[in-house]
Amino acid sequence: MGIETSCDETSVSIVKNGRKILSNTIFSQIKQHQRFGGVVPEIASRQHLEAMAHVAEQSLKEADISFKDVDLVAVTHGPGLIGALLVGVSYAKGVAYALNKPLVGVNHIEGHIFANFLENNFAPPFLCLVVSGGHSHLVYINDYGDYEVMGRTIDDAAGEAFDKIARALGLGYPGGPAIEEAAKSGNETAISFPVAHIEENDLSFSFSGLKSAVLNYLNHQKQKGEPIVVEDVAASFQKAVVDALVENTLKAAQLKDVREIALAGGVASNHKLRNELTKRAGDNFRIHFPPPILCTDNAAMIACAGYYQYLRGVKHDLSLNAYANLSL
C-alpha cells in the first residue's frame, strides 16, 4: 500500500510486486485552492484529514482486497508541506501498527523517479529529469537507491514559474496546463525571453530571471499602452523553460554516457517538453516518460519506490517522521 499526501493530492494505491498497479485512487484539491491561485497549506492539511480514510477504503475496494492482504506500507515522508505530510505519515503508521506489517518512508522525489517503472520496462542506470511545482532536479540513477543529483534549481522550480506566470497572465491555477493550452495558439518566437546559463559545466537551473523578464515585459507593454498577446507570451515563456530543461538534461546524459533518459514530475506531462526532448535526443538516447496520471502526485509511485527500498533492506519503525525538506 502506497500513501501520498505531500501537497494537495490525497492518494492511496495498491501495487503488486512493485510494478503492477491494482488501484491508484487520487483525491485532488485543485478546486479548493483555485480561488487562492495556489496551494494553501492549512487548507491542504484539513482536506487530507477529511479524505484520508475514505481514499484508502476506495483504493482497497478497487484492488479487490482487504487490509489483511496488505504486506507492506509505504508513505511519503518528505519533502513537502509539513502538515500535509504528517497526515499521511500518521495514517501509514497506524495501518502498519494495526496490521503488524513493515513500514517504509519514501522520498517524494524518489517516488517521481520510480513512476517510470510502472509503465516502462527498463532499469538503471539512467538519467532522470524531475520537474514539478516544487522541484527541478537532474538525477543520475546508477542503481536502485544509488543516486547522484547532478543539477537542481537555485531559485524557482519550473512548475512554480509556470504557476506565477499563469497568474500574471490571468490564466488561473494550476499554471502548467493553462500555459500549455494558451501556448498552442501562440507564436513561441514572438518574444525573446532569456534562458539562464549558470556556468559552463554547471547543470543548475534558474527560472527567477526568466520570470522577472516576463513580468517586466507585461509591465512595459501596459505602460506603453501596447497590446499583450497572452498566447504569444505563454508560448515564448514555455519555450524558454523547455529549452533550459532540455539543454541541461542532454548535457548531463552525455557527461554520464547513458543512453536512457526519463522524465518525472507534474511538468513532465507537458507535451512541448516531451516532444522537444525526444526530437533533440534523436537516435542517441531513448526517452521514457510516465502517462500524465503518474506524472502528478500519486501513491502508485510511492508504493513502487517503497517496494524496492524494502528489497534493499530498508524498514522504518513508528518513530518515522515527516520532513518539509528532505534531500535525495
Side-chain angles (χ1 to χ4, degrees):
M1 173 181 275
I3 298 170
E4 157 64 27
T5 63
S6 67
C7 190
D8 62 337
E9 272 93 18
T10 312
S11 181
V12 177
S13 178
I14 306 299
V15 174
K16 184 177 180 180
N17 296 330
R19 296 205 180 199
K20 183 179 180 181
I21 300 174
L22 301 185
S23 67
N24 189 28
T25 307
I26 303 170
F27 169 71
S28 175
Q29 302 176 18
I30 286 178
K31 289 183 179 179
Q32 286 84 351
H33 297 283
Q34 272 179 333
R35 62 193 176 110
F36 302 106
V39 178
V40 181
E42 177 66 17
I43 294 175
S45 302
R46 291 179 180 273
Q47 289 290 315
H48 285 307
L49 275 171
E50 292 179 12
M52 190 74 253
H54 173 72
V55 172
E57 289 169 6
Q58 184 64 30
S59 191
L60 289 167
K61 183 178 179 181
E62 288 180 16
D64 195 25
I65 67 168
S66 66
F67 272 112
K68 63 181 177 61
D69 299 310
V70 173
D71 299 309
L72 171 67
V73 181
V75 61
T76 304
H77 72 125
L81 302 176
I82 190 64
L85 287 164
L86 283 167
V87 175
V89 169
S90 298
Y91 187 81
K93 290 197 287 189
V95 172
Y97 178 76
L99 299 178
N100 193 27
K101 296 295 183 180
L103 173 71
V104 176
V106 174
N107 185 298
H108 182 73
I109 299 171
E110 182 180 25
H112 274 305
I113 294 169
F114 275 65
N116 280 281
F117 296 139
L118 292 165
E119 292 286 336
N120 301 306
N121 187 24
F122 73 109
F126 64 94
L127 184 82
C128 188
L129 172 65
V130 185
V131 273
S132 66
H135 314 285
S136 294
H137 283 60
L138 269 173
V139 185
Y140 172 63
I141 294 86
N142 183 52
D143 201 353
Y144 298 107
D146 182 3
Y147 315 121
E148 177 189 346
V149 178
M150 299 182 68
R152 68 178 73 198
T153 182
I154 60 174
D155 40 58
D156 292 349
E160 185 182 0
F162 270 103
D163 285 340
K164 289 177 179 175
I165 297 305
R167 190 181 309 138
L169 292 173
L171 295 174
Y173 174 85
I179 291 282
E180 183 175 9
E181 184 60 32
K184 288 179 182 177
S185 53
N187 176 7
E188 64 178 23
T189 62
I191 310 154
S192 181
F193 290 129
V195 177
H197 297 281
I198 313 302
E199 289 180 14
E200 183 63 30
N201 295 317
D202 194 331
L203 296 172
S204 300
F205 299 107
S206 173
F207 296 109
S208 65
L210 170 60
K211 181 189 69 179
S212 297
V214 177
L215 296 177
N216 288 338
Y217 171 82
L218 296 176
N219 290 332
H220 184 67
Q221 294 296 98
K222 289 174 184 175
Q223 288 171 359
K224 292 188 350 182
E226 296 187 359
I228 296 171
V229 182
V230 171
E231 293 79 7
D232 287 353
V233 177
S236 300
F237 164 73
Q238 179 179 252
K239 180 181 185 302
V241 173
V242 168
D243 283 349
L245 293 172
V246 170
E247 187 173 316
N248 279 15
T249 300
L250 294 178
K251 273 186 190 176
Q254 288 165 352
L255 283 171
K256 286 297 181 182
D257 194 26
V258 293
R259 286 183 51 80
E260 309 273 358
I261 298 175
L263 287 174
V267 182
S269 61
N270 181 284
H271 289 87
K272 170 71 175 174
L273 174 59
R274 292 182 179 215
N275 294 338
E276 193 66 22
L277 183 58
T278 302
K279 183 177 77 173
R280 290 182 58 180
D283 296 328
N284 297 317
F285 304 99
R286 286 186 291 271
I287 309 298
H288 307 276
F289 34 76
I293 192 65
L294 295 180
C295 290
T296 55
D297 292 348
N298 68 90
M301 67 185 193
I302 303 304
C304 178
Y307 171 84
Y308 283 99
Q309 279 205 48
Y310 184 72
L311 291 184
R312 299 196 308 271
V314 176
K315 284 194 294 184
H316 295 99
D317 58 28
L318 296 180
S319 67
L320 178 70
N321 206 349
Y323 301 93
N325 298 302
L326 186 66
S327 60
L328 186 64

